[in-house]
Amino acid sequence: MPEPSVLHGATIDALMANAGRSTLAFKQANADRNHATAFWFNDLVDATSGTEVVSQYLVTAAEMTRYGLGELTLRPELCEPVMSAEKLLVTDFADAWTVLGDLGVAVMPTAGLHAHGRRKGWNWTTDEITDGLAAHPDDIARIGAEPRPAYILGHDVGQTDGARLQAVVVGQVARGDDGHVRWDSTVPEGCAGAPVFVGEALGDDRFKLVCVGLVLAGEKQNRIATFDRIRAAVRESEADRATGPAADSVADSEPAPDPGGEAVRRTSWWRRKPPKPRTP
């Protein structure tokens, strides 16, 4: 079994290598509120024919989607060729999401986002949370009352300039007295809806990266909506029959002026990671 410090570093490295391009910052457009993080998820619908059939969604905290005009932040590594626009505006934003019962989770089919990119001459180049990475019931069952290291991959809000840089938030998860898995401390503004990961030791210096689920909105000890329930709820909801945003409801926003440098906030409980380099 890897030493805790080794497992910690290896988990962050594996997280960035496999999921660094899976997250997308968003907020309510023309308003300084409802900052959140969504991520790309490929739901494995069928693999019996030898070919994987997936339905693809953006996934986030439902509470952060209830308004009319949404603004998505484009990072350069998420599209090819790189776009000059830094934002995408989505009209009828709340209607584009399917709320999954009482889980606190909403999903958006991504077909409209892909159609917008093709219309504009570019493609999304994202990582996705896959069926192999998303937690299964046995992974969730291993999370007990004893806190264990965990990592949120989200986009906080810069204190001085509001920049939505990606951050790995380091903390712990544990199962509370109410039976729910919870984050142990404060979740930075902008990280509601972000995926939460753990490193599962396998012995012989091996481990696997597991996406436990997503962190729901709140200020402290936030509940984690776990992937065993998300996966089941997505299929029960028939969200794959929803259309998500129509291509003509997605529009590029003008680039923001350069603020003259990147503000980086340092705290004791999270660290920023550089973007995953693009493979030629």
Side-chain angles (χ1 to χ4, degrees):
M1 181 181 300
E3 292 293 325
S5 60
V6 174
L7 181 59
H8 170 79
T11 300
I12 291 178
D13 290 343
L15 188 164
M16 294 307 300
N18 291 279
R21 294 186 297 185
S22 68
T23 61
L24 193 63
F26 72 95
K27 73 178 187 74
Q28 184 172 350
N30 303 320
D32 189 28
R33 57 180 177 269
N34 290 315
H35 298 85
T37 299
F39 61 92
W40 300 76
F41 167 52
N42 283 355
D43 182 32
L44 181 61
V45 176
D46 181 46
T48 57
S49 63
T51 300
E52 292 188 348
V53 178
V54 301
S55 294
Q56 188 178 84
Y57 306 94
L58 282 182
V59 186
T60 193
E63 183 179 330
M64 312 306 292
T65 64
R66 305 292 89 196
Y67 42 87
L69 183 62
E71 178 185 286
L72 312 180
T73 298
L74 281 179
R75 290 183 282 143
E77 62 268 28
L78 296 187
C79 51
E80 177 64 45
V82 175
M83 295 297 297
S84 59
E86 298 176 349
K87 313 287 184 183
L88 291 181
L89 297 178
V90 182
T91 58
D92 301 320
F93 192 66
D95 293 339
W97 298 88
T98 297
V99 177
L100 302 181
D102 61 356
L103 283 185
V105 176
V107 297
M108 175 196 290
T110 60
L113 297 177
H114 287 290
H116 172 77
R118 288 192 298 270
R119 188 179 67 184
K120 293 292 187 175
W122 55 271
N123 295 303
W124 291 94
T125 54
T126 60
D127 296 324
E128 297 84 32
I129 304 302
T130 63
D131 188 70
L133 189 56
H136 288 265
D138 56 334
D139 298 309
I140 302 303
R142 283 192 286 271
I143 301 175
E146 184 70 22
R148 57 184 296 183
Y151 310 86
I152 294 173
L153 182 64
H155 296 266
D156 73 332
V157 182
Q159 285 182 319
T160 58
D161 60 0
R164 303 299 307 278
L165 301 181
Q166 190 182 63
V168 177
V169 186
V170 180
Q172 294 180 312
V173 293
R175 194 174 300 276
D177 294 339
D178 58 2
H180 292 299
V181 178
R182 293 185 177 276
W183 187 253
D184 73 328
S185 56
T186 302
V187 173
E189 182 186 8
C191 290
V196 182
F197 298 84
V198 297
E200 190 75 52
L202 300 176
D204 298 326
D205 293 330
R206 297 180 301 120
F207 78 99
K208 69 173 182 177
L209 182 69
V210 177
C211 182
V212 174
L214 67 86
V215 62
L216 297 178
E219 294 182 358
K220 193 173 183 180
Q221 296 186 328
N222 303 44
R223 185 162 63 87
I224 307 298
T226 54
F227 247 118
D228 56 337
R229 299 188 65 195
I230 294 172
R231 188 186 284 106
V234 166
R235 295 171 185 176
E236 289 174 4
S237 73
E238 298 184 340
D240 59 324
R241 298 187 181 182
T243 58
D248 60 3
S249 72
V250 183
D252 298 344
S253 180
E254 291 299 316
D258 186 350
E262 182 180 282
V264 179
R265 183 176 54 179
R266 307 281 182 189
T267 76
S268 60
W269 40 262
W270 67 273
R271 58 186 286 193
R272 294 199 185 279
K273 297 293 286 186
K276 176 182 174 183
R278 202 183 288 255
T279 302

